[in-house]
Amino acid sequence: VAFTAHIKYLLFALIVTLSGIYDTRGLPTGEADYYACRFDLVTEVVPTADRVQSVLDAPKTLVKRMSWSEKHGKRHPPRYEYRSAVNLDTGLVMEGVTVISEWRHSPIPGVEATFQFGLLCDVKHRIYAIDVRPTSPHRNKRGVGQGLPYYNQLITGSHEHIWTGYYGYAEPMDLETDMEGYWNCFCERANIVGGSEFYPPEFDVFTGQGRLL
């Protein structure tokens, strides 16, 4: 029975991956969420604990100055993204490690924008992240983070993602600060020590002027 279930998970994950349902950043969406997670659990295509810890522990410098570009798609309002590779203190690029940030203006008057900062390892694995005012709650996945305080619980509001061997476990996070404060917190916890100057999405670093979003 267990073998049959594993085959089902593998086939389902393969289908959602080929169909594009599985987000390339490692953020499963919709009904694919649980099964796509199981795909990682079954095949173990995840970074080792030593690999993750070495990425988190290493002092890192962002290669690209913070600048935001619009992500084209059907969503409205559109999302804006900043991404950068990171350098080690030796000056060499850290292989397979990327910082990806997203910001989205709320379509509802009076509701604040949502944003997220993530440290990705081996292309798609979100080993540390902060999601601020997400539009939907986060459900901690079964089998991920067992023994931790918020195992298998529904997390509403802002939260931070903590690597527990797999992606999918988060804990509430409610700082009394603005977007720059959350960014600074993310950089501190992700051990980003250089090139981390903050520029809001409304500011164009190339022209030095504000812009309408």
Side-chain angles (χ1 to χ4, degrees):
V1 176
F3 177 77
T4 302
H6 284 187
I7 294 298
K8 181 181 70 172
Y9 294 145
L10 285 171
L11 290 175
F12 188 91
L14 179 61
I15 291 170
V16 298
T17 301
L18 293 177
S19 65
I21 296 174
Y22 190 72
D23 193 304
T24 55
R25 295 172 304 140
L27 298 176
T29 55
E31 292 299 321
D33 183 70
Y34 176 68
Y35 293 101
C37 173
R38 294 302 304 177
F39 175 65
D40 279 349
L41 293 177
V42 171
T43 60
E44 297 184 350
V45 287
V46 294
T48 65
D50 288 344
R51 165 68 168 158
V52 170
Q53 199 60 51
S54 68
V55 171
L56 292 172
D57 289 345
K60 296 171 285 292
T61 298
L62 293 169
V63 171
K64 180 183 177 184
R65 182 170 56 167
M66 180 174 274
S67 59
W68 300 84
S69 57
E70 183 177 339
K71 291 190 68 176
H72 297 287
K74 297 181 180 179
R75 293 192 179 188
H76 182 77
R79 291 180 295 169
Y80 288 80
E81 181 184 85
Y82 158 70
R83 65 169 61 207
S84 175
V86 299
N87 280 343
L88 295 166
D89 52 13
T90 60
L92 298 176
V93 173
M94 199 169 197
E95 192 75 24
V97 178
T98 309
V99 168
I100 298 182
S101 305
E102 284 193 4
W103 178 91
R104 186 186 183 202
H105 179 70
S106 174
I108 304 174
V111 177
E112 295 183 276
T114 64
F115 53 89
Q116 56 185 258
F117 308 120
L119 178 66
L120 278 69
C121 175
D122 296 344
V123 183
K124 72 183 184 71
H125 298 286
R126 231 174 166 221
I127 60 173
Y128 181 74
I130 295 177
D131 295 345
V132 181
R133 293 188 294 273
T135 56
S136 58
H138 168 86
R139 165 68 70 180
N140 280 334
K141 297 182 176 68
R142 287 174 288 171
V144 179
Q146 294 188 42
L148 294 176
Y150 295 91
Y151 173 70
N152 200 30
Q153 292 190 27
L154 187 69
I155 309 298
T156 58
S158 303
H159 54 266
E160 64 176 337
H161 285 268
I162 302 169
W163 187 260
T164 62
Y166 300 96
Y167 174 80
Y169 177 80
E171 295 189 352
M173 186 181 200
D174 188 16
L175 302 179
E176 294 184 3
T177 185
D178 56 8
M179 185 176 181
E180 183 175 3
Y182 274 105
W183 168 252
N184 291 334
C185 178
F186 167 78
C187 289
E188 179 181 352
R189 299 187 182 188
N191 209 5
I192 296 171
V193 298
S196 58
E197 293 81 7
F198 177 82
Y199 297 96
E202 300 90 344
F203 181 79
D204 190 331
V205 297
F206 299 108
T207 65
Q209 300 177 349
R211 62 180 176 185
L212 294 176
L213 301 179

